[in-house]
């Protein structure tokens, strides 16, 4: 069901933090809500009738003559607890799209966040966000992390999909969500170890890459080694004896076989490969048939991580604008550009996925990161169902990559002359069948 809503909000010009101010009694006798004295109205519906349109235009003209910024929006219910808001803010002008997710309601209905990455067969490791969304029959979603220009392209930060680690965390921030729907934005670390049958703990130095001479590394089925093979002094293929997720958990596995020098990297779900360099001192402590434990954690996350996607920089910390370029080792940028971001409320019950179109004068000029942070920390409450702002938020890949998809259709206007740009990964909302909701 679609319902249309309109509301205008006045902002005081010239204030660096753009905080809202309602000029009471200054707009031809209108009150702070533009509709007469009284409290700010709740969301209300407006039929698309010529008379209603004329009234709206008159109200808009009255507010505009007072040098106040105006905005209007449309809201569509997509699924239980999932709403799409299309917002136009004349101050920029800015064309904004927001996916609002009531996490408890959505989770009860079987709706989950999923990260997707370009198909392995995709040209240069890139794929359209809309193609990824169509492939998994997503309700809606946005583009994800920044990526390299390699062949294939690689994401620049953490990615976890259905409990499987696709890319390890880097120095910059990432967004994660647990199996029970708890979100988090932080700079994460990678810590892993292998416990031998005798109980000795062997530190694992790296993930999905060949080990150094004195290192132990591990591969999962997402590993991409040169020529689909692994080269190491010795390797141990593991088969899980139960769980298929190792993130923030301990996985019990049996050593299926021991390999040496070079071998194909072919791992099924529930299988891992641990490889050691020639100078790793304890490799001989592991033998075929042993029961071992693979341990991997991504601190400071808590609980069983189900999905994660990288970004950067963090733009809101504890309700305050905090553009953390230096802390994350990223180059600063004050320019207005198309933007994509993810954030959530202080009670961790409402999630926001946001895009802002840009590089299109007269339609939408894009936002600086300060303006994006201000939007999410001060203005989301004006038009969202939760009437709340973001308490934590993370910038995702922007520019020509900024894309929002709703029911397989691109609803924003990407700035690329050729239309939607191919990207390395995406963050999607999907309906998960009841029989697989608790499994990874």
């Amino acid at each position: 069901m679609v319902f249309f809503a309109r509301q205008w909000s006045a902002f005081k010009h010239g204030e660096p933090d753009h905080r809202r101010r309602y000029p009471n009694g200054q707009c031809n006798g209108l009150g702070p809500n533009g509709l007469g004295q009284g409290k700010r109205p709740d969301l209300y519906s407006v039929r698309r009738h010529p008379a209603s349109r004329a009234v709206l235009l008159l109200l808009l003209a009255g507010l505009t003559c007072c040098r106040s910024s105006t905005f209007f929006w449309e809201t569509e219910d997509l699924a239980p607890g999932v709403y799409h808001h299309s917002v136009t803010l004349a101050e920029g002008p800015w064309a904004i799209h927001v996916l609002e997710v009531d996490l408890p309601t959505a989770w009860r209905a079987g709706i989950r966040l999923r990260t997707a990455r370009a198909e392995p067969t995709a040209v240069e490791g890139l794929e359209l966000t809309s193609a990824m969304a169509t492939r998994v029959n997503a309700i809606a979603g946005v583009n994800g992390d920044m990526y390299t220009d390699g062949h294939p392209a690689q994401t620049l930060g953490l990615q976890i999909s259905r409990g499987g680690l696709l890319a390890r965390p880097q120095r910059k921030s990432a967004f994660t969500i647990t199996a029970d729907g708890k979100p988090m934005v932080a700079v994460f670390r990678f810590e892993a170890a292998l416990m031998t049958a005798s109980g000795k703990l062997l530190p694992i130095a790296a993930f999905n890459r060949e080990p150094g001479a004195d290192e132990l590394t591990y591969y999962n089925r997402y590993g991409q080694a040169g020529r689909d093979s692994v080269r190491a002094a010795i390797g141990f293929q593991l088969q899980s004896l139960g769980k298929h997720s190792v993130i923030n958990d301990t996985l019990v596995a049996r050593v299926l076989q021991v390999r040496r020098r070079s071998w194909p990297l072919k791992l099924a779900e529930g299988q891992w490969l641990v490889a050691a360099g020639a100078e790793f001192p304890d490799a001989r402590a592991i033998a075929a048939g042993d029961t071992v434990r693979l341990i991997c954690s991504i601190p400071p996350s808590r609980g069983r991580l189900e999905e994660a996607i990288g970004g950067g920089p963090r733009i809101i910390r504890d309700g305050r604008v905090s553009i953390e370029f230096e802390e994350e080792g990223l180059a600063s940028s004050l320019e207005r550009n198309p933007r994509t971001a993810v954030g959530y409320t202080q009670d961790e019950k409402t999630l926001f996925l946001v895009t802002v179109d840009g590089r299109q004068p007269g339609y939408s000029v894009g936002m600086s990161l300060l303006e994006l942070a201000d939007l999410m920390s001060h203005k989301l409450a004006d038009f969202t169902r939760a009437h709340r702002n973001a308490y934590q938020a993370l910038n995702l890949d922007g520019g020509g990559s900024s894309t929002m998809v709703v029911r397989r259709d691109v609803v924003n206007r990407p700035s690329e002359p050729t239309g939607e740009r191919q990207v390395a990964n995406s963050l999607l909302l999907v309906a998960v069948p009841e029989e697989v909701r608790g499994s990874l």
Side-chain angles (χ1 to χ4, degrees):
M1 179 184 69
V2 181
F3 66 89
F4 298 92
R6 300 288 188 268
Q7 183 166 333
W8 293 268
S9 179
F11 299 89
K12 180 180 179 182
H13 285 257
E15 293 184 357
D17 63 354
H18 302 289
R19 291 181 180 173
R20 294 183 289 108
R21 178 183 173 189
Y22 297 96
N24 188 12
Q26 295 181 4
C27 294
N28 298 332
L30 296 175
N33 56 33
L35 300 171
Q37 300 294 336
K39 297 187 294 183
R40 175 186 166 201
D42 292 330
L43 205 63
Y44 58 93
S45 63
V46 178
R47 298 181 182 272
R48 285 186 167 179
H49 187 280
S52 298
R53 184 178 301 174
V55 172
L56 291 174
L57 290 173
L58 287 171
L59 287 171
L60 178 60
L63 286 172
T64 303
C65 75
C66 300
R67 298 173 61 195
S68 300
S69 294
T70 65
F71 74 88
F72 67 91
W73 79 89
E74 296 178 354
T75 292
E76 180 181 7
D77 292 23
L78 301 181
V82 181
Y83 316 102
H84 169 225
H85 309 286
S86 176
V87 183
T88 299
L89 183 58
E91 184 180 352
W94 290 305
I96 301 161
H97 289 268
V98 179
L99 291 172
E100 177 186 359
V101 185
D102 178 333
L103 290 171
T105 299
W107 243 245
R108 286 193 297 270
I111 296 165
R112 300 290 186 270
L113 278 167
R114 289 282 186 258
T115 66
R117 69 170 179 176
E119 287 274 44
T121 57
V123 177
E124 297 183 345
L126 301 175
E127 190 177 10
L128 298 176
T129 301
S130 58
M132 292 185 240
T134 298
R135 176 152 43 86
V136 299
N137 197 27
I139 298 166
V142 296
N143 64 288
D145 195 5
M146 288 73 82
Y147 53 91
T148 68
D149 291 328
H151 300 280
Q154 300 289 332
T155 59
L156 293 177
L158 173 66
Q159 185 175 0
I160 295 172
S161 178
R162 298 184 63 190
L165 186 62
L166 277 68
R168 63 177 291 171
Q170 304 297 326
R171 180 180 172 183
K172 62 197 190 78
S173 291
F175 167 80
T176 65
I177 194 158
T178 61
D180 58 354
K182 297 297 183 183
M184 188 176 192
V185 170
V187 176
F188 297 91
R189 304 187 306 277
F190 171 82
E191 297 177 356
L194 182 74
M195 181 179 290
T196 67
S198 64
K200 188 169 185 177
L201 202 62
L202 309 179
I204 291 176
F207 160 75
N208 279 352
R209 73 159 172 81
E210 293 180 1
D214 60 349
E215 287 183 333
L216 193 66
T217 69
Y218 94 90
Y219 294 82
N220 62 12
R221 64 191 181 98
Y222 300 109
Q224 294 182 11
R227 300 187 185 92
D228 295 324
S229 63
V230 175
R231 293 171 180 80
I234 190 168
F236 311 96
Q237 188 168 344
L238 310 181
Q239 175 66 55
S240 169
L241 297 181
K243 304 173 186 176
H244 285 182
S245 174
V246 69
I247 305 300
N248 285 353
D249 208 342
T250 298
L251 181 135
V252 181
R254 179 161 293 134
V255 180
L256 291 182
Q257 55 183 316
V258 179
R259 296 290 194 88
R260 297 183 186 277
R261 295 185 180 177
S262 179
W263 58 93
L265 180 60
K266 294 181 179 179
L267 298 172
E269 187 173 4
Q271 292 184 344
W272 285 262
L273 177 72
V274 176
E279 299 175 15
F280 188 77
D282 297 297
R284 296 185 182 277
I286 305 169
D290 283 356
T291 298
V292 297
R293 285 169 169 77
L294 185 61
I295 304 161
C296 180
S297 62
I298 308 291
S301 62
R302 55 191 186 273
R304 191 179 71 178
L305 285 187
E306 187 164 350
E307 305 289 328
I309 200 159
R314 176 196 280 266
I315 57 173
I316 299 174
R317 180 182 290 276
D318 299 338
R320 297 178 179 272
V321 173
S322 181
I323 314 298
E324 301 184 3
F325 280 115
E326 293 184 2
E327 295 88 337
E328 299 184 20
L330 299 171
S332 63
S333 173
L334 302 177
E335 297 177 354
R336 284 177 163 176
N337 283 298
R339 301 290 180 184
T340 304
V342 57
Y344 55 90
T345 55
Q346 185 173 5
D347 61 8
E348 301 180 351
K349 292 182 178 179
T350 304
L351 180 81
F352 305 110
L353 301 175
V354 178
T355 63
V356 182
D357 288 336
R359 301 174 184 167
Q360 300 172 67
Y363 169 68
S364 187
V365 297
M367 286 187 171
S368 68
L369 289 180
L370 282 171
E371 289 169 328
L372 179 65
D374 179 69
L375 166 73
M376 297 185 70
S377 62
H378 291 98
K379 300 175 184 176
L380 291 180
D382 291 333
F383 55 84
T384 55
R385 291 286 186 87
H387 299 297
R388 303 285 295 275
N389 294 309
Y391 192 70
Q392 315 286 352
L394 173 68
N395 179 59
L396 299 176
D397 191 15
S401 298
S402 286
T403 305
M404 180 176 288
V405 177
V406 173
R407 297 196 181 104
R408 304 187 180 187
D409 294 326
V410 176
V411 294
N412 71 317
R413 294 188 191 177
S415 63
E416 291 283 278
T418 56
E420 183 186 359
R421 176 192 285 177
Q422 292 186 321
V423 295
N425 59 13
S426 58
L427 184 57
L428 308 173
L429 287 160
V430 302
V432 177
E434 186 172 0
E435 61 269 18
V436 297
R437 288 176 192 172
S439 64
L440 289 173

